[in-house]
Amino acid sequence: HACAQGIVLCGDPSIDRVLAVSVQSLASLVLSEHARAVSQVGDSDQIHAAKEPDETLAEPLPHEHGQGAPSLEALSTLSLALTSSIYLSTLDSNSPRILPPDTDQDHAHACKVARLRLEIEARDRTIKQMEIREAALGDALAASKQLVTDAERERERLRARVHEMEASLERMREEQQALTHMQQGGSKILPRDVALLAGPGEGIPAPVSAAPHDERAHPLIQVTDAASVPEEDAKDFVNMLRCAREGIVHMRESLCGSLRSLGEELYSSRTHFISEIMQNMDDAPYRPGTVPHARLRITPHYVMLSTNELGFLPKNVLSLCNIAVSSKVGGQSIGQKGLGFKAVFACTETPIIISNNWRFCFRYKTKDAGMGDLVTSQKIDDEIGMMTPHWLQWEDAPEHLQNVLEQDKANHDASPYVTHVFLPIKESLKLNNKFIAQVYGQVDEKVLLNLRSIKHLDLEYEGPLVPNSSQPAPRLVCLSSRMQHACDMDLPLSTVPGASVLESFEFVSPRVRSVSLMVDTHGNWADDESVIDTVSRQQFRVFECDVRVPHALRLETPARRAVDTSTIAIAYPEYADKVKGTYCVYAFLPVVNVGFPVLLQADWIATTSREGIRDHAWNDFLRDHISAFYVWVMLNDSHVRAHLGHYMCHASPEMPLFWRSFVSDIKKLTAKHLPAVLKQGVNSTVRLSQSSIISLVPAPVLLEHANIEVIEGEDQTPDNNDEGTYDVLVEAGLHPLTMDDAMRCFDSPGFTSWISQLQDPPGWWQRLFHMLTEHLQDIAKTIPKSSDTFKARVASLVQNRPIFTQRPNIGNATSGRPPRTTQPVFTLEHLLFTCDDRALQMWRPQFVILEAASPSEHQFLTESSVTAQLTPLLLIRLLASLHLDNPAHPGSCGTLWRDLRFVRDHWEDYLAFRTKEPHLEGYIASLRVPTPSGLVWANDVRVKTLLGLPLDMKDNPGVLADYQTVPTDSTDPGAFLDMLKWEQFFLNIGTWPETRPSSTIKVHRPFSMYDPEAAQIASSILLTLAKLPMGAPLLDQLKQARMVCTLPGGPRLGSAVSVSSLATAKLFDGLVPSVEVPEHCADLAPSLGVALHPDALLAAKVLATLAERHVTSTATYVEWLSRLQLAYDSRSDDLSAYRGVKLLYLQFHD
């Protein structure tokens, strides 16, 4: 029964399953026992139930069919009791019984307890279920209330939607009527159209929404003549677009967010809008036969660009009012994305476009847009204003715009501008001088090189000074070009009809033109620009060609699918000042500056912001062809080849991988084909330019005198190696210009003439030697100066090249500065010297003294080790070596006497060195001296005079030194001095004369003929004689020689007496024979016996003279005898010469 009713007995699913099975088994057992009891007991016996307090159980069980069997109710009760017993046994682990108790009492009690427990549990379960149901009902009630609220809101929204749809339907009907009326040529405007044209803020609200429709299907879109659109039709078209955009409801928030991101994040520069407007102006059509002209005005209040194009078409207006929808065709126009014009909102909030009959503006924000009355009460608080046009009434136009248009109208012939884009500057930027200057700096006149149409740009600037700009405003920019003749280019390497080929790259119709970009900083062209100081020019050689686009690439590039051939161009600036610059990569307008020295132009697929090149197969195709075209131009144009160093592209670490691949391709092709360039000169050498060397020897001079072709450009050295360019050129056989190359010019006979014609030849020589010194210093960093390798490098620079100035030799004096000559270097037969003694002139041809005209030349002579510093000791050593090496023929007689004269004149230097180095003493003895009998060693020669007096030789007169003898009566003091020097020199080296008594009367020169130097030398000779072993006889002969004097007591002047008998006339005139003794002869005269002081000798001389003259004055004798006695006591004088001389004259009387 419990199983049938599905009653939960316990609540535990595992226990309930066990109980259910047990109940089924017990039910089967009870039924089977009931059947057996009926069959055994019969009707006579009755079965009594156990006596329980419960009356139903205490009564006997009813019998079925009168046989005493239990009824089904009793069995059910029994089953319940048994089940309760089993259930209780599961609750009580101590009572494992599963059968009914043995007694009726126990059975009834157990059943009662079980029933009570079951009732309590059932009641608890019912309460819990009621609580759960109550909570569920509460939640359901809250949900119902929310549904009611949502339903109310949805009903209100649906009501508003219905109203919007009704208004939209009404509007569509009115627009349809207006369009039908315009198609029929009528001029009547419906009342609803008047409300639309009036615009917001004029009493009629704008429509809330607009039904979607195809604006490109408008009839005006098909118009191709810009001047044929009436003003009314233009106004209707603008208002139609305005209403359509103001009615946007769906996706409005998403669209505003996209426009906001577009305006804030698309361009990194706020001034990029200048390029975008220039792009739109260049894409516009122009009347044939007119020069496309643009004018750009930049002021702190507005920016305005005007052109003389044909004018706006309706499809152009529609493109400005959309996003990413363009009326331009890819490959035929610069822009085609439909986004560029949105860049103007970086500087303005209300751009205005005026073109023929079109006058409209956009209102990004109404908050003080700088438009005066144009700002209405309507609040456009989202970015839909960027694409929502508003018709502009003339009276609402800004005052600045009206003034400019009135001026243009008055000067229509001079400035026939048709289209104007007027951009009022935002209030937040008006005071930003830096922003205004940046706008001005954004304009690059080189953009005219690559624009398709515009060739003349008039820039007017009214603002602060532009940083780093020397050009005042306004300025005019004009572009002129001419095609080069065929002779301006070399023949290509290989040609096919109409095309040229370099490896696998084909260039269709290659062409070159010379372009002059002229800038007039005063903004006023003259008839002849060449005479205007304010006109500056930039010259470019522009090479162009077409490349055929593969069909597969066209299919892969939808924007270029209609392009069969694409044009690529490279513009090479012609440097006037040799200053290298960097230029942008252009996709008609500047895209990115990666630091290339040339302008690259191609129809690149740029990024949306036009600030980079996309990673696209189309761009890879153009890049590979333009790199090959670069090398083709280098191989075929002599100008580019000559300035390759200027035009070589280099990579930098920060350069994008796209452009690094471009540079790598150029280097590979250059290394492969550069040998062909190097062989184009006949027996010429090609070098990379070095600016310092070119400043010294220009490239044409190098080509003329050294046959060196220079590729001019910036220095290429291993230290200045930019991404391997130097290595590539070196591998191709091209090396940088060095001083060795410059010195090769001296091998040409006409090079020195070129130097002499320079404005400052001395300055040129000074720079030459300065650069040679630096070159040698660089060599010395790796090669020791003492090595033969270093000397060989030096010799290769200067050997047999006329760069040295030789000091004239004796007898070869020239007027003015001597010419530069060639000199062999590092040879033993020809030694080069520098000498600080400017008076020294060389006499031997083996020794050459070089003059240094500047400090740099002197430093070079020192650093190069070509010369040695000539010192007296060094020359003495060299002369002694010459005499020793060839004693029989060391030189001519005159040369030998010059050798001896140099040693004689530098005797003191020799003595100083000999004191430090005693081994040098033998150098002088190694000299050879000419004598009448031939050459004699210096220490074997004999002097032939002393103090100019000839000596009588005893034995061999052939060994007399053959120097000049000066006559006694000669008045030449120089010759006498020279003779004294020779006497002193030979006495110093150890020679002395061996004389014999002479009967010849010799007369000394008067002391007045001695100059101070001669007197000093004569004194030195007498001192030397006094030290010689045989010097005393020579001194006696010198003292006995006579000298012209004044005798005492009469006019007998000019008499000659022995010099030892003389006294100075200054003190004792009239007493003894006297002579004039100058002060510088105060040492010489006493050495010859002349009395200068009142000593014993003088007293003896006076007494002898008195006696000889028979003086009888006793007083005089007494005086001089007394002096003699006093002086003689001192024994200070040698009176031996006066022994036997009469000192007194005595007259006796009878």
Side-chain angles (χ1 to χ4, degrees), residues 840 842-843 847 870-880 902:
L840 176 61
M842 189 50 62
W843 59 94
F847 308 143
L870 185 61
T871 62
L873 178 62
L874 176 60
L875 187 53
I876 291 173
R877 287 179 175 178
L878 294 174
L879 294 175
F902 179 82

Side-chain angles (χ1 to χ4, degrees), residues 25 151 169 177 266 308 402 440 467 476 517 526 652 677 742 773 824 865 882-883 929 972 1025 1077 1085:
S25 301
L169 181 61
Q177 293 177 5
L266 180 59
N308 60 343
Q402 294 182 13
Y440 175 83
L476 297 178
L517 192 63
S652 59
V677 177
T773 302
S865 301
L882 285 176
H883 288 226
V929 180
D972 184 5
L1025 288 175
V1077 180

Side-chain angles (χ1 to χ4, degrees), residues 415-430:
S415 56
Y417 298 110
V418 175
T419 300
H420 307 270
V421 178
F422 186 83
L423 307 176
I425 301 296
K426 292 180 180 180
E427 288 295 331
S428 59
L429 297 176
K430 283 184 178 180

